Amino acid sequence: MGEQLTDTRLFSTLFEQYKEPFILFANSYIRDWTVAEDIYVEAMMQYWEKRHELPSDTNIPAYILTSIKNRSLNHLRHLNVRTEAEEHLFNHNARELNFRISSLESCDPSELFTIEMREIIRKTLDELPEQTRAIFYKSRFENKTNREIAEELDINVKTVEYHIAKSLKLFRSRLKDYLPLLVFLFKDSM
């Protein structure tokens, strides 16, 4: 019982001694305090469970910090994979929207759209903020890629994607009454 109490005190002392600097280290890369704390606790638990298997000359802080580094790298790699998957999904949805927009653009408005619908489109374009309208116009009417637009306007690609998504959402909302008609007209060609 006394040995277990000593082990508990030793662990508590060790835990508190390295807690702040090691969590700060992890957080400087992870940028999520809760995750950094979890990584620290996991690294400490791993050390504590393996402490009797380690050589007697093991540099304990270096061992724990190496474990924190590896766990942080694994966490960041996981985030990277998730971000890439989300970007792939976003790009897929963007391509689908681009296809639907270009299909809509390729139609002859004088035959397909009513005066009222053309007026809604014109008003919607006029209501878009200047930067959003410019980005949407370059994307849909000049057929420029998001990267080309970003470089031309000296902004981030994500900013371009945001403005295009914002435009499409507004168009979808304003033209919602016409979308069933478009689906009906194009159903045989799909």
Side-chain angles (χ1 to χ4, degrees), residues 14 17-18 22 47 51 54-67:
L14 191 62
Q17 180 180 1
Y18 297 116
F22 284 5
Y47 161 71
R51 71 187 185 281
L54 300 174
S56 60
D57 63 343
T58 299
N59 181 334
I60 296 170
Y63 179 87
I64 296 169
L65 197 55
T66 299
S67 179

Side-chain angles (χ1 to χ4, degrees), residues 109-190:
S110 62
E111 294 175 14
L112 184 61
F113 302 118
T114 64
I115 294 171
E116 181 180 318
M117 188 171 174
R118 282 183 282 192
E119 185 62 21
I120 291 171
I121 292 170
R122 187 192 62 72
K123 282 182 180 178
T124 303
L125 276 170
D126 290 345
E127 289 176 21
L128 291 173
E130 184 177 335
Q131 185 178 28
T132 304
R133 183 175 46 248
I135 290 170
F136 185 82
Y137 187 85
K138 289 175 184 307
S139 172
R140 297 310 189 259
F141 299 108
E142 296 178 9
N143 294 318
K144 292 187 176 182
T145 66
N146 291 354
R147 185 167 306 285
E148 290 171 333
I149 296 168
E151 289 173 2
E152 183 178 327
L153 298 178
D154 195 29
I155 57 176
N156 191 304
V157 173
K158 291 286 184 195
T159 303
V160 172
E161 292 169 356
Y162 165 79
H163 284 284
I164 290 172
K166 181 177 167 182
S167 302
L168 293 175
K169 182 178 180 183
L170 185 59
F171 276 106
R172 211 175 300 120
S173 166
R174 299 284 172 84
L175 297 171
K176 69 182 181 293
D177 296 333
Y178 295 92
L179 292 177
L181 173 65
L182 294 174
V183 170
F184 176 76
L185 290 173
F186 290 112
K187 74 177 184 173
D188 293 334
S189 63
M190 291 182 175

Side-chain angles (χ1 to χ4, degrees), residues 11-13 38 57 98 101 105-106 111 125 127 129 162 164:
F11 179 79
S12 293
T13 302
D38 289 345
D57 63 343
N98 285 337
I101 294 274
E105 290 173 345
S106 67
E111 294 175 14
L125 276 170
E127 289 176 21
Y162 165 79
I164 290 172

Side-chain angles (χ1 to χ4, degrees), residues 1 4 39 79 87 93 115 126 158 169:
M1 176 104 170
Q4 187 178 10
I39 286 172
L79 285 179
E87 285 177 5
N93 291 341
I115 294 171
D126 290 345
K158 291 286 184 195
K169 182 178 180 183

